[in-house]
Amino acid sequence: MSNHIPLSDLRKSYEQGALDEHESASEPLRQFEGWLSEALARGVPEPNAMTVATVGESGRPSTRIVLIKDCDARGIVWYTNYHSRKGRELEAHPFAALQFHWVEMERVVRIEGRVEKVSAEEADRYFASRPLSSRIGAWASPQSEIIDGRGTIVARAADYGLKFGLNPPRPPHWGGYRLVPDYWEFWQGRASRLHDRIAYRLQDDGSWQRQRLAP
C-alpha cells in the first residue's frame, strides 16, 4: 500500500471576488485597510497573522509567521525578540517581505520594504498592554536558541515570575520592527487561474504607481 499523497490532483476554483485596477484604492494602505476590515467582519481566523521573510548574511532566506500589531502611513509593525534569528538577519540586512493569506476570501497581500526598529516609547506602551504571562514569556524565552527541553522554558518563566511579580519591565532585547513599504501587491483568486494581481510601487516623488500584473 502506498502512502503517496496525490498533491498534483488537488484543485480549487477561485470564484469569490474580483479586483480591478480602476476600482482599487489609489493608495495601497487604503486598499489594505479595506481588505483587512473585511476579513475582520467576515470572521477570518487570525486575519492579523502574516509571514515575515528575511535574508541572512549568507543570502539564505527564512520565513516565520508573526502578528501585525499596528498599521498606519509609517508602516507595518510587529514585535519580537531582537536576538532571534529574524532579529539577527534584520540587523545584517534591514529589508523584509510580508505576506497575508486570507484563504476564506481567496486573497493574498504582499508587502516589501526596509525595516527599522520602533521607538523605545512605542515598545514600552505595547509591552505594558500585553497579558502578564506574555510579558514574563518575553524574558523567559531565548528565542531561536537551542534548549534542553520544554522544562527549561517553564522553569525560566517561573523564575522570572518570582523575580518581577506583577510588573515585569520590557526586556532590553525585546521590541518592535516597522516595515516601511515601497511595494505592495494585492492578489484576488479568479476562475481558470486568471487571477487578479494589482501592484503598487513607490515613486521618487512619494506617489504610488498602480499596475496590473499577469497572473
Side-chain angles (χ1 to χ4, degrees):
M1 178 181 293
S2 173
N3 292 322
H4 176 68
I5 300 174
L7 297 176
S8 62
D9 295 335
L10 297 179
R11 296 286 187 274
K12 174 179 172 57
S13 181
Y14 299 94
E15 300 177 352
Q16 288 201 35
L19 179 62
D20 187 276
E21 63 268 34
H22 303 297
E23 297 179 357
S24 59
S26 59
E27 295 185 355
L29 180 59
R30 287 175 49 211
Q31 183 68 34
F32 175 73
E33 289 175 335
W35 273 18
L36 179 58
S37 295
E38 189 174 344
L40 288 164
R42 290 182 55 174
V44 171
E46 292 197 290
N48 56 333
M50 62 183 184
T51 299
V52 178
T54 56
V55 176
E57 292 184 357
S58 66
R60 182 171 181 149
S62 63
T63 65
R64 71 288 292 160
I65 294 177
V66 303
L67 302 178
I68 181 176
K69 291 300 178 182
D70 196 11
C71 175
D72 57 25
R74 296 174 298 168
I76 309 294
V77 175
W78 70 95
Y79 289 85
T80 190
N81 187 316
Y82 289 144
H83 295 168
S84 64
R85 178 177 177 179
K86 58 183 169 297
R88 297 193 300 268
E89 291 183 347
L90 287 170
E91 185 69 25
H93 298 288
F95 293 87
L98 311 178
Q99 179 169 293
F100 294 84
H101 186 193
W102 297 316
V103 177
E104 294 77 7
M105 299 167 64
E106 300 175 352
R107 288 175 175 173
V108 174
V109 180
R110 296 178 52 232
I111 314 167
E112 301 174 12
R114 64 179 176 84
V115 177
E116 60 190 22
K117 291 180 178 179
V118 306
S119 68
E121 292 76 18
E122 287 179 88
D124 286 342
R125 282 196 301 272
Y126 175 67
F127 187 80
S129 74
R130 304 180 84 207
L132 176 60
S133 59
S134 297
R135 284 178 281 156
I136 294 296
W139 282 97
S141 176
Q143 196 173 95
S144 301
E145 299 298 323
I146 297 172
I147 59 175
D148 293 333
R150 181 171 177 79
T152 300
I153 291 294
V154 173
R156 286 172 60 89
D159 290 342
Y160 279 111
L162 289 173
K163 178 178 180 179
F164 293 124
L166 299 177
N167 192 29
R170 177 174 64 88
H173 57 267
W174 189 96
Y177 286 107
R178 175 179 287 108
L179 182 139
V180 182
D182 55 29
Y183 178 85
W184 296 71
E185 184 179 321
F186 297 84
W187 181 97
Q188 175 69 63
R190 296 294 299 274
S192 303
R193 296 299 187 265
L194 300 179
H195 310 303
D196 291 329
R197 292 175 64 191
I198 306 300
Y200 296 77
R201 290 181 171 85
L202 184 63
Q203 305 300 293
D204 291 340
D205 63 1
S207 65
W208 290 94
Q209 182 184 44
R210 181 176 43 176
Q211 299 171 313
R212 173 174 286 271
L213 304 180

